[in-house]
Amino acid sequence: MRLTRFFMPTLKETPSEAQIASHRLMLRAGMIRQSASGIYTWLPLGWKVLQKIEQIVREEQDAAGAQELLMPTIQSADIWRESGRYDAYGKEMLRIVDRHDREMLYGPTNEELITQVFRDNVKSYRELPKTLYHIQWKFRDEVRPRFGVMRGREFLMKDSYSFDIDFDGAKRSYEAMFNAYLRTFKRMGLTAIPMVADSGAIGGNLTHEFHVLAETGESGVFYDVAYEELAAKDAVDLEALSKLYAVTDEKHDPNAADCPPPERLKEARGIEVGHIFYFGTKYSKAMGAVVAGPDGNPVHVEMGSYGIGVSRLVGAIIEAYHDDRGIKWPEAVAPFKVGLVNLKVGDAACDKVCEDIYRTLSEQGVEVLYDDRDDRAGVKFADMDLIGLPWQLVAGPKGVAAGVVELKNRHTGEKQELTVEAALARLTA
């Protein structure tokens, strides 16, 4: 993509309403613009990141055996009355009356709707287990939306739901999703600490929150250092992991029996990006979701629910990866891999080298943002650091005359002068 054609309205000054790094940088980098309180338009740069994160989430859900579907954003109030949550959920739910005076709502979550889908279509234990998921926009009418996409009213979420014939099956589904979450966050370059959590409005008695570590995280977390080693694996034993100490600062008790000694206790900041629940027959009993068991008798299915804040992850990654100049995207979620900078647009030699590089990288499937603007070098460098692409490839008249270009690693700041061929080999490896 040529920057002269790309819609990326960057800002030099930080908007006054932005209180945290991710909100400031997303606005300044031209990733989002506020449409209403807690509601944002995702501009092309932000949308590309959101799609990268969504795809990683999707791939790991598929690999864990979950099947994707898509449920509507608008739901009937009737099914929420079946579960008993319609009045209990509170003012965060946006309630709607349609033209026929039917009570509807903009879904804040989908336990009721997926239970209805399952109840109406699955009749035998032979069809189990099943795990179904979708990635969909949701709305919760927060009293004080703030921190940009970290606590907005409209957000993109992945929620999956498991259905099993008994507790042992439900536990296996829960563990499969638990490990899928560890792999998901690991692929994004994040360290995720799972910790036993409160079930809240969803219900259940086996539940974990996933907090990614970031110096500017919203919550204090305390955890056993052994967590980092285990969480870095692709699969862990849930029971072994759950015996390790990991809590938010609100629950931290240095005198607790399971609190590790000081040499093993780590304190950090975390951002919650995922929450998983086992809630047994809470919804299947309330809504009549039964299947014929092996003996022919009806059995209420055991269920679990598993959420990831896809849009929230954009902010969380920025909180974990930024400096005073801008964002530093992990390569897996970067909107472009390479920022190609032409320092002297109009110079025949610079133009030719940049056009050749742009064409070659594009043909090799490398996503490139080519800064072909006729602007000052300082402006170009500042914008590239701000938007945080993993690699910057810079071509200027002196370097081109000497047969070299400059390759900069945004994460480390390391710069190297390389021949065009060597630079291309590095970026296409």
Side-chain angles (χ1 to χ4, degrees):
M1 175 62 69
R2 296 174 187 271
L3 195 46
T4 51
R5 298 179 184 175
F6 192 53
F7 183 52
M8 192 182 78
T10 57
L11 302 174
K12 291 183 180 179
E13 303 297 327
T14 298
S16 58
E17 72 270 20
Q19 300 176 350
I20 62 172
S22 59
H23 193 191
R24 291 195 299 268
L25 291 171
M26 290 182 76
L27 289 170
R28 288 196 55 219
M31 295 178 64
I32 56 171
R33 288 294 182 267
Q34 181 169 298
S35 301
S37 177
I39 301 173
Y40 293 88
T41 295
W42 289 77
L43 304 183
L45 192 74
W47 180 239
K48 284 179 70 67
V49 175
L50 194 62
Q51 288 178 301
K52 294 286 184 70
I53 292 171
E54 179 181 338
Q55 186 57 28
I56 291 173
V57 171
R58 175 176 287 110
E59 289 171 3
E60 291 302 329
Q61 289 294 295
D62 292 346
Q67 301 174 61
E68 187 171 10
L69 45 70
L70 182 61
M71 290 176 277
T73 56
I74 303 299
Q75 303 178 29
S76 169
D78 293 342
I79 56 174
W80 283 71
R81 288 198 171 96
E82 285 187 50
S83 72
R85 285 207 301 173
Y86 184 69
D87 294 319
Y89 203 89
K91 292 184 177 180
E92 285 188 351
M93 181 190 289
L94 181 63
R95 292 163 168 83
I96 305 165
V97 178
D98 71 12
R99 66 193 301 166
H100 301 292
D101 291 327
R102 289 180 295 231
E103 292 180 278
M104 314 290 286
L105 57 99
Y106 193 133
T109 184
N110 282 75
E111 281 78 15
E112 284 79 4
L113 190 51
I114 195 66
T115 302
Q116 181 189 47
V117 170
F118 179 91
R119 175 187 70 191
D120 294 347
N121 294 282
V122 179
K123 304 302 180 184
S124 169
Y125 78 98
R126 297 181 186 278
E127 300 173 71
L128 301 180
K130 286 282 188 296
T131 300
L132 306 172
Y133 79 98
H134 70 165
I135 300 173
Q136 177 217 53
W137 291 95
K138 291 180 165 45
F139 186 90
R140 294 177 189 168
D141 199 3
E142 297 278 353
V143 176
R144 286 181 293 276
R146 52 184 178 155
F147 305 150
V149 302
M150 296 285 284
R151 190 170 294 174
R153 293 194 294 165
E154 185 181 57
F155 53 95
L156 188 63
M157 182 176 174
K158 186 285 301 180
D159 43 323
S160 50
Y161 304 91
S162 61
F163 301 87
D164 289 273
I165 191 64
D166 54 24
F167 174 75
D168 288 342
K171 191 175 180 182
R172 285 192 295 272
S173 295
Y174 187 97
E175 189 159 339
M177 209 44 60
F178 185 99
N179 281 301
Y181 275 40
L182 293 181
R183 291 191 297 270
T184 297
F185 301 131
K186 181 181 176 182
R187 284 183 60 184
M188 296 177 192
L190 298 168
T191 299
I193 303 297
M195 53 190 67
V196 175
D198 293 326
S199 59
I202 291 182
N205 55 18
L206 174 61
T207 175
H208 287 83
E209 291 176 356
F210 289 79
H211 288 250
V212 299
L213 301 185
E215 290 183 3
T216 53
E218 60 190 345
S219 304
V221 294
F222 293 83
Y223 62 95
D224 193 311
V225 67
Y227 245 111
E228 292 182 355
E229 180 182 346
L230 286 174
K233 297 180 178 179
D234 286 340
V236 299
D237 178 73
L238 180 58
E239 289 190 10
L241 193 66
S242 295
K243 292 176 183 177
L244 296 177
Y245 188 80
V247 296
T248 60
D249 51 3
E250 295 175 347
K251 297 182 177 181
H252 175 52
D253 179 4
N255 298 314
D258 58 344
C259 185
E263 64 270 17
R264 279 180 38 211
L265 182 65
K266 296 200 71 172
E267 180 180 359
R269 304 295 298 179
I271 301 168
E272 184 189 343
V273 292
H275 206 160
I276 62 177
F277 306 84
Y278 158 74
F279 41 65
T281 58
K282 175 182 172 69
Y283 295 93
S284 61
K285 282 186 176 178
M287 298 182 65
V290 298
V291 298
D295 58 2
N297 292 320
V299 178
H300 289 97
V301 293
E302 302 272 342
M303 294 175 58
S305 173
Y306 316 91
I308 286 180
V310 178
S311 53
R312 183 177 174 84
L313 268 166
V314 179
I317 291 170
I318 294 173
E319 292 293 334
Y321 292 104
H322 72 276
D323 59 19
D324 58 359
R325 296 188 301 278
I327 304 165
K328 299 194 292 185
W329 290 115
E331 197 164 305
V333 299
F336 300 91
K337 179 176 179 176
V338 180
L340 174 60
V341 180
N342 185 341
L343 291 182
K344 190 69 173 177
V345 173
D347 178 271
C350 280
D351 289 349
K352 184 179 186 309
V353 166
C354 287
E355 291 292 339
D356 288 346
I357 291 172
Y358 181 57
R359 182 180 65 256
T360 301
L361 288 175
S362 298
E363 288 174 351
Q364 293 292 317
V366 177
E367 292 182 294
V368 185
L369 182 61
Y370 174 23
D371 191 345
D372 58 342
R373 298 174 297 174
D374 186 11
D375 213 332
R376 294 180 293 109
V379 171
K380 296 189 174 197
F381 289 142
D383 280 350
M384 280 297 167
D385 280 348
L386 173 62
I387 66 175
L389 307 183
W391 297 97
Q392 297 173 19
L393 191 57
V394 182
K398 291 183 180 179
V400 168
V404 296
V405 290
E406 181 182 86
L407 184 63
K408 175 182 173 180
N409 183 311
R410 177 67 179 97
H411 273 269
T412 65
E414 179 187 5
K415 299 177 181 179
Q416 288 181 290
E417 285 194 340
L418 302 169
T419 65
V420 171
E421 292 75 16
L424 289 173
R426 178 76 61 85
L427 294 171
T428 57

